[in-house]
């Protein structure tokens, strides 16, 4: 539900570019990390045959994740690198996971689309459209019963807006007054299908309103606007009113790294990429006198060096041993399954 004009004006007046610099830094880190992920893939050193970049969605990830607190939990979809990084993930461990290395968050077994980390409250990324959404209902229920004051956030794309599990989850969250927030990052395309071809109802937040959720839609160009809307929704969720936030942005590149977007015109891509949240924040900092271009250039170079190091770290990292496939599958102390060849040898030796 869009805030009254008076509230919006007061919110805007209360904010200054002083808070924008750290938000810009995080968005630039997300952007640069994703660029390096693409480079790792092109070099043939990423695990798996697909990965999905979130370039163009940085304000959504940073605007929401910057408000999360210790004890909060979340799930992401297959385009979740930026969200996890914005939440505080170590980019080296993230890149190592994407590279399928032992030093990764999941010891290389999760890859790009299935990263998880209980330490930061990441309940897991899910490549199934909408697959991670119901997990936050359980997390929210656990938090409410334990009286922790923590929230659980489900991040998903506009493609999940046509999945029934979302509506079941919103209904349960509303019925039980759970501290849950549903965040739809509407990048305009579900794989190769434009949202206009997927649904007649473009005001996505109205679907949240129908279930009794505190719901808003915000333009993902200005990270300050995203953060302000997210503040209203998250604060209400901590008080027991679940929320829904739709963030409008544009997916700069194809669905996956090798997708050349034949379903989009060059004009559409040019217009979409003009809505660049990172460049918008940079211009706002300079125009507001909060930072000079040379200072931001130096910051960008520092971040580039940080992310270059993630590539070096991943290449030097170790391949997971074969028997690590059993780790985290069987209970601690249980014997590992015996290899078929070893079992045959043992049987033949007995005979």
């Amino acid at each position: 539900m869009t805030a009254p004009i008076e509230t919006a004006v007061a919110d805007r007046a209360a904010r200054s570019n002083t808070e924008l610099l750290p938000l810009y830094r995080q968005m630039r880190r997300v952007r640069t990390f994703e660029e390096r992920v693409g480079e790792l893939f092109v070099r043939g050193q990423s695990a798996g045959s697909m990965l999905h970049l979130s370039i163009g969605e940085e304000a959504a990830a940073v605007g929401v994740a910057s408000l999360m607190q210790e004890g909060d939990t979340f799930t992401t979809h297959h385009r979740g690198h930026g969200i996890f990084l914005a939440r505080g993930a170590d980019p080296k461990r993230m890149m190592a996971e994407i590279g399928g290395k032992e030093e990764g968050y999941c010891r290389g077994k999760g890859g790009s689309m299935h990263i998880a980390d209980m330490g930061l409250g990441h309940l897991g990324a899910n490549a199934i459209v909408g697959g991670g959404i119901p997990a936050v209902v359980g997390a929210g229920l656990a938090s409410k019963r334990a009286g922790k004051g923590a929230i659980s956030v489900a991040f998903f794309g506009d493609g999940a807006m046509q999945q029934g599990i979302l509506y079941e989850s919103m209904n349960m969250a509303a019925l039980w007054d759970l501290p849950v927030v549903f965040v739809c990052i509407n990048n305009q395309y579900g794989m190769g299908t434009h949202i206009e071809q997927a649904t007649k109802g473009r005001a996505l937040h109205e679907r949240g309103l129908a279930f009794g959720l505190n719901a808003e839609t915000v333009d993902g160009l200005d990270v300050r606007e995203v953060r302000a809307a997210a503040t209203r929704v998250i604060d209400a969720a901590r008080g027991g009113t679940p929320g829904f936030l739709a963030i409008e942005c544009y997916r700069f590149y194809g669905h996956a790294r090798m997708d050349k977007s034949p379903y989009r015109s060059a004009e559409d891509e040019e217009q979409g990429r003009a809505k660049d949240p990172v460049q918008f924040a940079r211009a706002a900092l300079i125009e507001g006198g909060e930072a000079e271009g040379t200072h931001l250039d130096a910051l960008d170079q520092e971040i580039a060096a940080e992310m270059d190091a993630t590539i070096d770290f991943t290449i030097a990292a170790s391949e997971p041993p074969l028997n690590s496939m059993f780790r985290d599958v069987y209970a601690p102390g249980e014997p590992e399954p015996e290899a078929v060849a070893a079992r045959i040898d043992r049987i033949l030796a007995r005979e």
Side-chain angles (χ1 to χ4, degrees):
M1 182 168 52
T2 304
I5 294 176
E6 296 83 3
T7 303
V9 171
D11 286 345
R12 193 184 301 262
R15 296 192 305 276
S16 73
N17 282 344
T18 303
E19 74 174 18
L20 182 56
L21 186 57
L23 296 175
Y24 169 81
R25 181 180 183 276
Q26 278 289 64
M27 288 197 297
R28 177 59 75 181
R29 291 180 76 240
V30 170
R31 171 72 57 90
T32 309
F33 179 82
E34 291 287 62
E35 291 171 346
R36 298 299 183 272
V37 169
E39 291 175 16
L40 192 75
F41 179 85
V42 170
R43 294 167 66 162
Q45 293 175 312
S46 60
S49 59
M50 293 185 73
L51 52 81
H52 309 78
L53 305 179
S54 63
I55 294 175
E57 305 175 10
E58 293 85 358
V62 173
V64 177
S66 65
L67 296 167
M68 296 180 70
Q69 302 173 5
E70 184 177 356
D72 291 346
T73 58
F74 65 103
T75 62
T76 67
H77 50 339
H78 53 266
R79 206 178 302 278
H81 306 154
I83 296 165
F84 190 29
L85 183 61
R87 182 67 187 95
D90 178 348
K92 287 184 177 179
R93 290 186 65 194
M94 280 187 68
M95 192 67 77
E97 183 60 37
I98 293 168
K101 297 300 184 71
E102 175 74 10
E103 289 81 351
Y105 270 99
C106 302
R107 302 186 183 94
K109 293 191 287 186
S112 167
M113 291 187 280
H114 300 283
I115 295 175
D117 178 56
M118 297 302 106
L120 284 173
H122 193 343
L123 303 180
N126 202 310
I128 298 173
V129 176
I133 294 172
V136 304
V137 177
L141 179 60
S143 177
K144 180 178 179 178
R145 289 189 170 181
K148 295 179 178 179
I151 61 166
S152 193
V153 182
F155 292 92
F156 51 91
D158 49 283
M161 291 301 299
Q162 322 317 326
Q163 291 282 33
I165 191 64
L166 169 63
Y167 303 102
E168 295 173 6
S169 298
M170 288 197 295
N171 190 48
M172 293 176 73
L175 279 171
W176 297 342
D177 300 318
L178 300 182
V180 169
V181 177
F182 302 92
V183 177
C184 175
I185 301 177
N186 179 10
N187 64 24
Q188 312 303 312
Y189 286 90
M191 294 188 72
T193 303
H194 193 275
I195 191 168
E196 288 183 348
Q197 298 173 302
T199 179
K200 271 287 188 181
R202 295 288 304 279
L204 301 183
H205 73 278
E206 292 182 354
R207 304 188 194 184
L209 292 176
F211 285 94
L213 272 62
N214 180 36
E216 298 191 30
T217 292
V218 64
D219 189 340
L221 177 62
D222 189 340
V223 67
R224 295 165 299 183
E225 296 298 323
V226 174
R227 196 170 191 273
T231 297
R232 293 189 290 271
V233 173
I234 287 175
D235 285 352
R238 292 195 192 281
T241 303
F244 177 97
L245 183 63
I247 305 173
E248 303 276 348
C249 52
Y250 188 82
R251 192 185 76 201
F252 278 28
Y253 298 103
H255 171 65
R257 178 60 181 80
M258 297 302 290
D259 176 12
K260 297 182 179 180
S261 303
Y263 43 84
R264 304 197 301 199
S265 68
E267 181 182 12
D268 177 44
E269 291 193 350
E270 182 180 1
Q271 292 176 352
R273 291 176 185 175
K275 301 172 182 178
D276 187 330
V278 178
Q279 292 302 323
F280 183 89
R282 178 186 173 95
L285 284 167
I286 295 172
E287 291 169 8
E290 295 296 327
E292 295 182 356
T294 53
H295 170 71
L296 296 178
D297 288 342
L299 178 60
D300 293 350
Q301 291 172 8
E302 174 189 321
I303 292 170
E306 176 193 15
M307 299 309 168
D308 285 342
T310 68
I311 298 287
D312 297 336
F313 178 82
T314 298
I315 292 172
S318 54
E319 297 286 345
L322 186 60
N323 66 355
S324 70
M325 71 174 73
F326 304 122
R327 203 181 304 161
D328 303 320
V329 177
Y330 294 88
E334 289 291 317
E336 293 181 354
E338 186 178 13
V340 173
R343 191 187 325 156
I344 292 174
D345 290 342
R346 177 171 50 77
I347 294 172
L348 291 176
R350 264 206 319 261
E351 294 177 349

